[in-house]
Amino acid sequence: QQDSYGNWLTMDPNSPEFIGKCNPEYFCINSDVMWERDEDSSISLINFMLKFDMVCAGSFTISMFGMMLFTGFTLSSLVLPALSDKIGRRSIFLGCLLVNLIVLAILLIIPDQKEWVNFVIFLFFITGLSLAGRASVGYCFMLECAPERYSSIMGSFWNISEGMVYIYATVYYRWVSKDWWWTIAFALVLQTVTLFLLYRYSTESPKWLYNKKKFAECQYTMRYMADWNGVELNPNSCLNVPMFNKQEKISESTIKTDESQWGIIKNYPGVLRNLLCMVMVWVSASFCYYLISYQLKYIKGDIFTNGIVSSISECIAYGVSGILYTKMGIKNVLILSYALTIGGMYLLITVPTNA
């Protein structure tokens, strides 16, 4: 900062004055402090902040990236899962993969000018719109294409893979490169290959086809899967699958199949009660999950180490919960997980992290 004689002096990083002035809210609007980016710092990444010169853009503009992503996710969650019940899982899943692939390609070629910030925020909104199709519908699509006895394993593998992405990204930024471009390029290549393979070799969910009474297509899909796995198939497999028959008996005996989804929720108290319970569970779980992710940068220590430890614990939790689910049941696992969450949140609140 500048002294009374007009000389520029380096501030003590440990002084309260440095902490108060070394932040964008101060040095972006006051001329008594000069600042420059520390390129030698391990946390000085080549990211959107640098690409679009957003250091002084303001906290609201910076927060719009995440806010618009989740806004799109929220809106699409109201439409895409229900739409997949009508037209199928595969088309929704592949369509959303294609949308996200296009967004990734645009991000790689967009100019390095701050005038493009609002357009990039819009792209994050589009990514959020595709998220429900890629995550929610894709998860159902995966489980419905697998035998019921493997559903817990596959669900755990899906979640562990998600947690591993954070580990890969953290290791990359800490020890490989600070440049964000290559992570987007890798994601683009990976999604392109995935989209091609799924379009070429995947089929519609046999469970969805069965529930829609498309037995001929269901039979073809089951035969296709059996050929891939080298197993024998019952000639009438789509009429003799226990999981499907059980599902059909439940729907016929308790719920009229011609009722709309909202009609079912309105007329059957048990469905509404379970829906409200799961909404509360999901909201609270998501709130804690994303809150901890946002708070990682405020916990003292190396942010990369904190991120890796957090992601490893997440992967372990996914694997253990999948095992416990088969042994204890979903209700007991939820109770146990929330008890652990309460304990963890209590420690975050009471144990100082700035010492």
Side-chain angles (χ1 to χ4, degrees), residues 319-346:
V320 173
S321 63
I323 297 173
L324 293 179
Y325 167 74
T326 60
K327 304 293 184 181
M328 301 172 54
I330 186 171
K331 180 178 179 179
N332 291 328
V333 172
L334 280 175
I335 294 174
L336 176 61
S337 65
Y338 271 83
L340 292 174
T341 302
I342 292 172
M345 297 303 289
Y346 175 80

Side-chain angles (χ1 to χ4, degrees), residues 1 11-27 300:
Q1 67 176 0
M11 300 176 66
D12 181 6
N14 298 316
S15 66
E17 188 177 21
F18 177 88
I19 298 174
K21 292 185 176 181
C22 191
N23 63 78
E25 288 77 11
Y26 185 88
F27 63 67
K300 294 297 182 180

Side-chain angles (χ1 to χ4, degrees), residues 67-135:
M67 185 169 67
M68 293 309 295
L69 176 72
F70 284 105
T71 299
F73 185 28
T74 301
L75 294 176
S76 62
S77 296
L78 298 174
V79 178
L80 293 183
L83 185 61
S84 72
D85 289 338
K86 295 183 178 296
I87 68 175
R89 318 292 190 204
R90 183 174 181 269
S91 57
I92 297 293
F93 183 53
L94 295 183
C96 289
L97 280 179
L98 178 61
V99 169
N100 193 64
L101 189 150
I102 294 173
V103 170
L104 292 176
I106 294 175
L107 287 175
L108 290 178
I109 62 175
I110 200 167
D112 296 353
Q113 300 172 4
K114 63 171 59 178
E115 290 78 11
W116 289 89
V117 168
N118 290 334
F119 179 69
V120 175
I121 292 174
F122 172 73
L123 291 180
F124 271 67
F125 174 71
I126 298 299
T127 299
L129 289 177
S130 71
L131 189 54
R134 292 182 288 120

Side-chain angles (χ1 to χ4, degrees), residues 153-192:
I153 296 176
M154 295 188 66
S156 297
F157 179 77
W158 170 294
N159 291 321
I160 290 173
S161 299
E162 179 184 356
M164 290 298 296
V165 170
Y166 293 100
I167 296 178
Y168 298 149
T170 303
V171 170
Y172 170 82
Y173 285 122
R174 180 63 180 89
W175 288 287
V176 179
S177 174
K178 298 179 180 181
D179 195 344
W180 68 274
W181 194 92
W182 293 105
T183 59
I184 302 296
F186 176 76
L188 178 62
V189 172
L190 187 61
Q191 286 207 13
T192 301

